Amino acid sequence: MTELTWMTGGKQGSGIDVSLSLFSRVMMKYGYNIYGYREYFSNIKGMHSFFTVRVSDKQVASIPSKVDLAIFFDTESVLGEVNERGEVVQDGHVKDIKENGTLVVDSKIDKSKISRKDINVLDIDFDAIITSVAKKLNKPTSELVISKNIICVTASCYLLGLEDSYIVDAIKTEFAKKPKSVIDLDISVSEETIEYMKSKNESLAAETLNHIKTKGIAPITKLDNKNKGEQLYIEGFASTAIGKAIAGCKMQIYYPITPASDESVFIESHPELGIRVVQPESELAV
């Protein structure tokens, strides 16, 4: 049985939420079953959110408490953060890595602050990748910062030994409704990430081997292509909406809030479900 659990996260509004669906699509195209989970604050932008994906060659319907591979580009996700009163907002995800698991962080993070010695810690220079792509495409780096989520997914897939073409295919599927220019930009970021990882491969390998020798850290599992073909990717709000239609629901009255908004928009975009959606002017009206 082949199985691993992956995690990433960051500040809400930084584009990190795309990582869950993009990584899941890559795994599915590679023939694996996935189960994904989102955790987020009741906040539109700025607070921490994180995403976990369980990957297996068997059917799965839950996630474990510890992960095999985690990747983050912000310090808060790794080490945690406190508010202006000194209260802990979230205590970081270093504790969530399995023993002998792997944590990938931005090269600007002080790795000496990561107290655990039983995990493999690697670093990636996210800004260097973004800057390189910006120069090649003659674009300001501010336009590409949101593409750090692409770096997270691509770097993870590279470390798992996946074929480059599956990452590109997943990007095209995930952003199918976006302009071609957006898709091309994300593919450029992905390709640059792969080149970066290849150029750093010798140092990463040396570092990993050193950890294995001195700390008993196991290398990351190389996933095999299961060749199952295309699988159905469905999110929780969509399956809930379909379930309501099957159960005979004919009207949904709601006030905008996650995930009710996603579910209601899905229902409205699929009139064949036969459910009328009404959004009154207030929660009291609902």
Side-chain angles (χ1 to χ4, degrees):
M1 178 177 178
T2 301
E3 184 168 305
L4 67 90
T5 305
W6 175 85
M7 175 186 285
T8 191
K11 291 186 179 298
Q12 290 171 192
S14 64
I16 197 66
D17 55 319
V18 172
S19 301
L20 179 141
S21 56
L22 185 57
F23 183 80
S24 298
R25 290 186 190 280
V26 176
M27 293 299 117
M28 291 174 66
K29 287 179 179 294
Y30 224 64
Y32 286 88
N33 300 298
I34 64 98
Y35 186 91
Y37 174 77
R38 296 193 302 168
E39 179 68 37
Y40 48 87
F41 277 80
S42 181
N43 173 269
I44 296 174
K45 188 175 183 179
M47 298 300 286
H48 176 70
S49 61
F50 65 94
F51 314 95
T52 309
V53 179
R54 183 180 178 186
V55 180
S56 177
D57 54 5
K58 306 294 184 183
Q59 290 189 357
V60 289
S62 64
I63 57 170
S65 58
K66 300 291 184 180
V67 304
D68 300 278
L69 172 61
I71 180 167
F72 305 102
F73 55 75
D74 65 318
T75 302
E76 293 80 10
S77 292
V78 180
L79 303 175
E81 57 186 319
V82 297
N83 60 22
E84 63 277 5
R85 297 186 296 275
E87 300 164 337
V88 176
V89 177
Q90 57 93 13
D91 52 3
H93 294 290
V94 174
K95 67 183 187 310
D96 297 322
I97 314 298
K98 286 182 182 178
E99 181 180 352
N100 297 333
T102 300
L103 172 64
V104 185
V105 300
D106 188 274
S107 58
K108 295 178 178 60
I109 293 178
D110 183 358
K111 292 197 291 184
S112 67
K113 293 183 178 179
I114 301 174
S115 57
R116 291 185 60 181
K117 305 301 181 184
D118 61 340
I119 61 175
N120 186 25
V121 182
L122 307 177
D123 63 87
I124 292 176
D125 192 336
F126 285 86
D127 288 339
I129 296 173
I130 292 296
T131 300
S132 178
V133 176
K135 288 182 177 179
K136 290 179 180 180
L137 300 180
N138 194 27
K139 290 180 176 291
T141 55
S142 58
E143 289 187 17
L144 279 77
V145 171
I146 200 168
S147 294
K148 286 185 178 181
N149 53 9
I150 304 296
I151 299 176
C152 285
V153 174
T154 303
S156 298
C157 293
Y158 179 87
L159 290 172
L160 294 173
L162 273 64
E163 298 171 34
D164 303 351
S165 60
Y166 283 84
I167 304 171
V168 173
D169 288 345
I171 290 174
K172 291 179 179 178
T173 301
E174 177 67 22
F175 302 113
K177 295 182 180 180
K178 297 285 186 179
K180 185 177 182 299
S181 58
V182 173
I183 296 174
D184 290 344
L185 187 149
D186 287 335
I187 291 175
S188 296
V189 172
S190 179
E191 291 174 343
E192 185 69 25
T193 302
I194 292 170
E195 289 304 311
Y196 173 90
M197 297 297 287
K198 287 180 178 178
S199 67
K200 195 176 180 181
N201 186 50
E202 290 185 4
S203 59
L204 281 174
E207 183 178 358
T208 303
L209 288 171
N210 180 60
H211 278 294
I212 292 171
K213 181 178 179 181
T214 60
K215 302 178 182 179
I217 302 298
I220 298 174
T221 302
K222 185 181 185 304
L223 296 181
D224 297 319
N225 192 335
K226 297 300 180 181
N227 294 314
K228 287 184 179 179
E230 194 71 22
Q231 299 186 77
L232 175 65
Y233 177 87
I234 188 167
E235 297 185 75
F237 66 84
S239 60
T240 301
I242 294 171
K244 287 181 178 180
I246 293 172
C249 176
K250 297 301 179 185
M251 179 177 288
Q252 174 148 303
I253 305 172
Y254 82 107
Y255 189 73
I257 190 171
T258 301
S261 297
D262 292 335
E263 182 190 323
S264 298
V265 169
F266 179 86
I267 292 173
E268 286 183 307
S269 63
H270 291 81
E272 66 272 17
L273 294 177
I275 303 176
R276 182 182 179 188
V277 178
V278 180
Q279 181 190 324
E281 70 278 8
S282 67
E283 290 179 277
L284 182 61
V286 171

